[in-house]
Amino acid sequence: MNRRVFAIALGIAICLLPLVSNAYWTDVCVSIGIYALLALSLNVILGQAGIFHMGHAAFFAVGAYVTGVCNTIQHIPILWLMPVSGLAAAVFAYLVARPIIHLRGDYLLVVTIGIVEIVRIALLNDLFGLTGGSNGTFGIARPEFLGFRIVKGIHFYYLVWGMVGATLLLFHGLWRSRFGRALNCIKEDDIASECCGIDVSGYKLAAFVLGAFWAGMAGTVYAAKMTTIAPESFNFMESVIVFAVVILSGGSQLGVLVSTFLFIGLPELLREFASARMLLFGLAMMGMMIWRPQGLLPPLARRYGGGLKSAAPDAMKDGPP
Amino acid sequence: MEQFFQQLLNGLAVGGIYALVALGYTMVYGVLKLINFAHGDLFTIGAYLGLTLLISCNIAGMLPPAAAVLAVFVMVGCLVAILGVILERAAYRPLRDAGRLSAVVSALGASIFFQNAIMLIYGARYYVYPDFLRPNFTVHLLGVAVPGVRLLVIGTSVGLMLLLWAFIHRTRIGAAVRAVAIDPDAARLMGINVDAVISLVFLVGPALGGVAGLMVGIYYGQVDFTMGWMYGLKAFTAAILGGIGNIPGAMLGGMLLGLLESLSAAYVAMAWKDAIAFLVLILILIARPTGILGERTAEKL
Amino acid sequence: MSLLAVREMTKAFGGLMAVNDLSFEVEQGSIVGMIGPNGAGKTTVFNCITGNYVPEAGDIEFDGRPIKGVRPHRIVELGIARTFQTIRLFGRLTVLENVLAGRHCRMKAGLLACMFHGRAMQREEREAVRRCMEELEFLGLADRRGEAAGGLSYGNQRLLEIARALATEPKLLILDEPAGGMNAQETDALIEVIRAIRARGVTILLIEHDMRLVMQVSERLVVLENGSLIAEGTPEHVRRHPAVIEAYLGSSDGRW
């Protein structure tokens, strides 16, 4: 199928969906949107730079809690807190990633898992007496934009998917730049990258910080939507789901969107199976990877101006497996 | 001092269990470079199978206690081993040539599947392990009364580890396993049946994991269907701590992690023990990027 | 004056002395060949110069400044580019993108510019593509620009590594067995390429086992054995040097 046509159709469907769906599915799509933000930001780290990062929920949690705590204690408006939370998550990511960024593959993977667990336990134990322990933080205000209060599901829907749209554009730009190319080179061969002049640890760190910034902003939206946040919303399983979304996507942004719909939407569709739905979900996870080991939609080759259209390398071409 | 000694022994018991589970991670990683995230759930299955054998099949009623324990251990080991081989065939073999992370996602899916399968079969509640198998003698060591079960757990895990070590280092099949871990392609060219070695690893690793699950049931007297998640994560951490792919490393990492947890729970704070374990892991990896016993391979240029 | 000066450099791996108290210089604008039996430590010397290894002792001076302990990507920025003995291209990226990776360190667009694609960033991208296409044309790979680098023939992959290195605008180009795996015609073409690169003002330091190539292109040779310098001078001089003859004929390898 032509990818462009599919992307446009998907875009139109997303724009029109809340007009025809009920409140329940609109809410489901809000949470799909939040996961999409997380997955798109993880895609920069994991999909583009090839850094085994299974701890994205930690940055999401930092963003959500900064929003929750600042809003309930200082009553700072939510939209102001969005960049603040992003920044807080980015600073946190910088501090924790800096000493570990040189670790290889699976060693880095387990460290990032460790970070999620440490963050969750710290929140659970009411760190600094601010986070509310296992009960979490509640009474978070709704965002207001030029006097318009974002309360209903449909308001959040357009807020979240508007952010997803902006993210798609910005990250697409990133992908088509020296930054994106550098990340791809690092994924292919970090030593060769370093030897042709790419600051490998600098770029890895930048990918981490950028991804964390986005995850932090997604945390703000999540906190405002739920109005209550608790440590259990940011456990390792959340990281696992976002990780799986990115791997299944194949690495392109369109793939990430499709993959998010599959992963987050599927358990909702399986609701009628009641207690067996997670069992089926696990089976589906295995099945989907076996069905498409290379992911749903691997990125196409970049195009370069001036008649320098660059053909897709075979390994990256979209097509039947 | 007495408390310290008790914590030390408790740490060794928990550490022995971690080490047994960690061996499953590290052996699979050694030959396939895959983190088998479903391994923790095989461990849980071991605990539940033990429960079924003891209660529903009434093994304990048919045999004298010592023989019953032995029989249950062997049966659990065998059953979980079979499950391990099926897991490899179904979830990992089709992905052997795909990217490494595709297989990791499949492993995560398998983990979710197993966990929910246990929940559906046994129900979402915890089970109390029958205590008639739990040895209730105490041993006086250096003037301290030590529960016998603690010593038995330490003894069993150390014994199994020694057996495994001997198997890997003293037999021809063990040599084949080591060869595949170093270079699967070269091993294949030398006439080693790599698929058979992989199947073997998926027999031995899960068997050890299943037995470890059974030991947790007997030691703590209680099991629940989510316990594999945390034990699996800890054991995987232990394997990384020791240097993944390295068998003595997994044993050392497991023991260290057990001691660390037990002592930090006693002397720092119970609520922070998991966080402390991960923090120490991170600090050790910062100092030694490939774990304590991991090879420090300078990348060849 | 000399562009590169290595002074009393020592590098050991565990107990093995890979490079032992080595000193040599590379003159600006020259082509210097480094030869020696397998395991003599030649590649280790290269890896120390490019910052991949840090020698235990000694100094390395490039273009008048010490570079020992400087990280590899900074050394590339300072003007040393390299190729690898075992080809290390970005196999799944296109030929053009491989060269663009070399151009990376001469580009300036920051994170925000990369996301927003401002005018300056776009101009820089176009300029980089143009510059990289020139390098591809220089090496005769321009019409392969859209192919995956991993799909090129062995010889073309070696040329592409050179193109990637040249895109960094090096003052010193370090080639590690550039003719490895090439047939006779390809090697002849490579000799022309090496001379043409020097004609552009780039100084060249190369390791090569193909003696025909080394003797034809090098103005000076540095001979290593067991990590130590055993001879140095013009090809004519080195060819007749007793220590060199001993090293080559005496070794089981004996490739000469």
Side-chain angles (χ1 to χ4, degrees):
Chain A
M1 181 168 32
N2 187 322
R3 228 185 249 202
R4 184 175 293 246
V5 174
F6 176 63
I8 291 168
L10 185 67
I12 292 171
I14 289 171
C15 287
L16 299 179
L17 190 85
L19 304 178
V20 294
S21 91
N22 59 22
Y24 174 74
W25 282 103
T26 304
D27 263 7
V28 169
C29 289
V30 170
S31 86
I32 291 177
I34 292 173
Y35 273 102
L37 285 173
L38 285 177
L40 287 170
S41 60
L42 180 64
N43 189 40
V44 175
I45 304 171
L46 172 64
Q48 298 297 313
I51 302 168
F52 291 12
H53 170 41
M54 217 187 255
H56 217 44
F59 306 143
F60 185 45
V62 170
Y65 267 92
V66 166
T67 301
V69 170
C70 290
N71 180 263
T72 53
I73 294 175
Q74 295 291 328
H75 303 290
I76 303 169
I78 294 292
L79 285 184
W80 283 105
L81 283 173
M82 197 179 281
V84 175
S85 303
L87 217 56
V91 169
F92 176 72
Y94 180 81
L95 294 178
V96 298
R98 211 189 140 117
I100 58 165
I101 202 73
H102 62 285
L103 293 179
R104 292 192 166 271
D106 302 299
Y107 290 95
L108 192 65
L109 184 101
V110 72
V111 166
T112 57
I113 293 173
I115 290 167
V116 179
E117 282 298 302
I118 292 173
V119 167
R120 188 181 63 87
I121 293 166
L123 294 174
L124 211 51
N125 289 332
D126 204 359
L127 187 69
F128 310 130
L130 289 172
T131 66
S134 59
N135 295 327
T137 298
F138 33 84
I140 300 162
R142 300 297 196 177
E144 248 178 79
F145 185 66
L146 301 174
F148 178 78
R149 259 183 102 224
I150 297 173
V151 184
K152 293 206 290 190
I154 190 166
H155 301 159
F156 273 101
Y157 181 93
Y158 283 111
L159 172 70
V160 170
W161 284 97
M163 285 173 69
V164 172
T167 306
L168 287 170
L169 284 176
L170 292 175
F171 284 4
H172 184 70
L174 198 68
W175 177 73
R176 277 186 338 114
S177 72
R178 73 194 273 260
F179 195 98
R181 283 193 304 265
L183 295 188
N184 289 170
C185 290
I186 291 168
K187 181 182 186 178
E188 286 276 305
D189 185 340
D190 54 351
I191 287 179
S193 304
E194 180 79 29
C195 290
C196 57
I198 296 169
D199 178 0
V200 171
S201 37
Y203 271 90
K204 280 184 172 176
L205 213 49
F208 249 101
V209 168
L210 179 71
F213 184 83
W214 245 260
M217 291 200 298
T220 299
V221 180
Y222 177 80
K225 172 76 175 71
M226 304 309 287
T227 69
T228 300
I229 47 174
E232 284 318 303
S233 312
F234 309 99
N235 61 25
F236 175 48
M237 191 62 199
E238 296 303 307
S239 294
V240 163
I241 289 176
V242 184
F243 184 90
V245 164
V246 171
I247 299 300
L248 181 69
S249 75
S252 69
Q253 301 212 85
L254 187 59
V256 170
L257 282 192
V258 176
S259 174
T260 314
F261 270 100
L262 279 178
F263 260 98
I264 314 302
L266 191 67
E268 296 300 329
L269 290 173
L270 292 173
R271 222 161 244 288
E272 58 181 292
F273 295 97
S275 53
R277 82 189 166 114
M278 286 312 283
L279 181 98
L280 295 173
F281 181 70
L283 267 185
M285 243 166 113
M286 288 188 271
M288 285 190 288
M289 284 332 299
I290 292 168
W291 169 53
R292 278 193 85 96
Q294 79 280 37
L296 296 171
L297 297 167
L300 299 171
R302 296 177 182 81
R303 286 156 187 271
Y304 294 93
L308 294 174
K309 199 163 79 179
S310 140
D314 285 332
M316 295 188 151
K317 239 177 214 162
D318 177 34
Chain B
M1 193 60 216
E2 180 180 338
Q3 193 209 359
F4 176 77
F5 191 63
Q6 291 284 12
Q7 289 301 338
L8 204 67
L9 284 174
N10 181 45
L12 286 177
V14 176
I17 291 166
Y18 285 159
L20 285 184
V21 185
L23 284 169
Y25 280 104
T26 225
M27 287 174 69
V28 167
Y29 189 90
V31 296
L32 280 184
K33 301 289 171 281
L34 163 74
I35 304 162
N36 177 14
F37 273 104
H39 188 64
D41 302 285
L42 293 174
F43 157 90
T44 318
I45 290 173
Y48 274 83
L49 278 177
L51 197 67
T52 303
L53 289 170
L54 286 169
I55 297 177
S56 309
C57 303
N58 194 23
I59 299 261
M62 295 185 281
L63 295 164
V69 171
L70 198 64
V72 171
F73 265 82
V74 172
M75 286 160 78
V76 164
C78 292
L79 289 172
V80 178
I82 293 169
L83 211 54
V85 174
I86 295 173
L87 170 71
E88 192 268 328
R89 285 287 159 91
Y92 305 146
R93 193 164 292 188
L95 290 167
R96 194 136 347 129
D97 300 319
R100 288 181 51 206
L101 293 181
S102 304
V104 166
V105 171
S106 183
L108 290 164
S111 167
I112 294 172
F113 173 80
F114 279 138
Q115 194 175 330
N116 285 278
I118 301 167
M119 188 195 78
L120 286 176
I121 295 168
Y122 288 91
R125 64 181 186 91
Y126 70 85
Y127 277 84
V128 175
Y129 239 68
D131 61 355
F132 49 80
L133 280 184
R134 190 183 157 96
N136 47 10
F137 61 93
T138 46
V139 178
H140 290 273
L141 260 180
L142 306 171
V144 181
V146 183
V149 65
R150 193 167 283 172
L151 295 177
L152 280 180
V153 166
I154 297 174
T156 313
S157 50
V158 170
L160 285 172
M161 282 187 253
L162 289 177
L163 261 177
L164 179 76
W165 189 87
F167 172 67
I168 294 291
H169 286 273
R170 291 278 179 272
T171 65
R172 275 172 58 87
I173 301 174
V177 174
R178 280 181 289 145
V180 173
I182 292 166
D183 187 340
D185 292 325
R188 184 175 285 118
L189 292 174
M190 299 309 288
I192 293 172
N193 183 344
V194 174
D195 281 339
V197 167
I198 290 170
S199 293
L200 178 78
V201 163
F202 271 95
L203 274 173
V204 176
L208 291 175
V211 167
L214 184 60
M215 276 163 46
V216 165
I218 294 174
Y219 188 54
Y220 288 108
Q222 174 181 326
V223 293
D224 79 278
F225 73 101
T226 57
M227 69 181 198
W229 194 241
M230 210 43 182
Y231 272 95
L233 200 54
K234 289 288 177 53
F236 171 48
T237 302
I240 289 272
L241 192 63
I244 189 130
N246 182 315
I247 288 177
M251 300 177 186
L252 178 71
M255 287 295 186
L256 272 181
L257 194 67
L259 284 174
L260 189 71
E261 263 190 42
S262 165
L263 294 177
S264 60
Y267 296 103
V268 187
M270 189 66 194
W272 288 90
K273 80 174 164 77
D274 293 342
I276 291 168
F278 284 118
L279 194 66
V280 170
L281 169 85
I282 294 172
L283 293 178
I284 288 180
L285 287 183
I286 290 171
R288 289 196 58 103
T290 52
I292 299 170
L293 296 184
E295 287 169 55
R296 293 220 242 179
T297 45
E299 180 95 20
K300 194 160 161 44
L301 293 165
Chain C
M1 61 162 264
S2 64
L3 182 64
L4 176 78
V6 173
R7 294 197 191 97
E8 288 143 30
M9 185 171 82
T10 297
K11 172 76 196 168
F13 295 106
L16 178 80
M17 274 291 196
V19 178
N20 191 5
D21 198 28
L22 176 73
S23 301
F24 70 95
E25 297 197 354
V26 176
E27 293 294 310
Q28 171 82 49
S30 64
I31 301 180
V32 175
M34 183 177 285
I35 61 172
N38 281 341
K42 304 181 296 287
T43 297
T44 305
V45 173
F46 278 19
N47 284 332
C48 289
I49 296 170
T50 56
N52 293 96
Y53 297 156
V54 181
E56 273 88 44
D59 287 308
I60 307 168
E61 201 171 271
F62 175 71
D63 208 11
R65 71 166 93 191
I67 57 165
K68 190 176 89 165
V70 176
R71 287 162 65 199
H73 72 269
R74 283 283 303 143
I75 290 180
V76 177
E77 278 170 35
L78 293 173
I80 302 181
R82 71 172 294 171
T83 66
F84 294 92
Q85 184 178 349
T86 49
I87 295 169
R88 290 190 94 131
L89 288 166
F90 308 114
R92 292 199 298 174
L93 302 189
T94 61
V95 168
L96 174 59
E97 282 174 331
N98 270 274
V99 187
L100 279 166
R103 196 66 204 155
H104 178 92
C105 64
R106 302 293 168 214
M107 296 168 77
K108 294 190 175 60
L111 176 60
L112 289 179
C114 286
M115 275 205 249
F116 288 99
H117 280 243
R119 278 253 174 83
M121 181 270 179
Q122 289 188 22
R123 196 178 319 121
E124 186 187 65
E125 275 283 307
R126 275 197 303 274
E127 173 59 21
V129 170
R130 191 191 59 74
R131 184 72 179 61
C132 290
M133 283 309 298
E134 281 176 12
E135 295 300 349
L136 284 174
E137 267 151 35
F138 178 70
L139 289 156
L141 291 169
D143 53 344
R144 317 294 294 267
R145 63 176 175 265
E147 294 175 26
L152 293 183
S153 71
Y154 212 68
N156 279 340
Q157 290 197 14
R158 290 233 178 257
L159 294 179
L160 179 55
E161 272 209 332
I162 295 175
R164 183 174 70 183
L166 285 174
T168 68
E169 284 178 29
K171 295 181 184 123
L172 173 67
L173 177 63
I174 295 186
L175 303 172
D176 197 345
E177 292 197 31
M182 282 189 174
N183 61 31
Q185 287 97 339
E186 285 172 328
T187 305
D188 285 337
L190 181 66
I191 291 171
E192 292 314 309
V193 166
I194 291 173
R195 286 180 175 149
I197 293 171
R198 200 260 301 266
R200 286 166 53 171
V202 178
T203 308
I204 293 170
L205 174 62
L206 69 124
I207 294 177
E208 186 51 68
H209 281 305
D210 186 325
M211 282 303 149
R212 189 170 62 92
L213 183 146
V214 175
M215 293 295 168
Q216 274 188 43
V217 300
S218 311
E219 286 143 8
R220 278 166 45 79
L221 288 179
V222 174
V223 190
L224 251 59
E225 192 194 12
N226 294 330
S228 302
L229 186 81
I230 56 168
E232 186 176 16
T234 62
E236 282 312 303
H237 169 75
V238 164
R239 200 195 284 273
R240 282 193 292 269
H241 197 291
V244 177
I245 295 167
E246 166 70 18
Y248 271 86
L249 298 181
S251 76
S252 59
D253 179 54
R255 287 166 70 180
W256 181 227

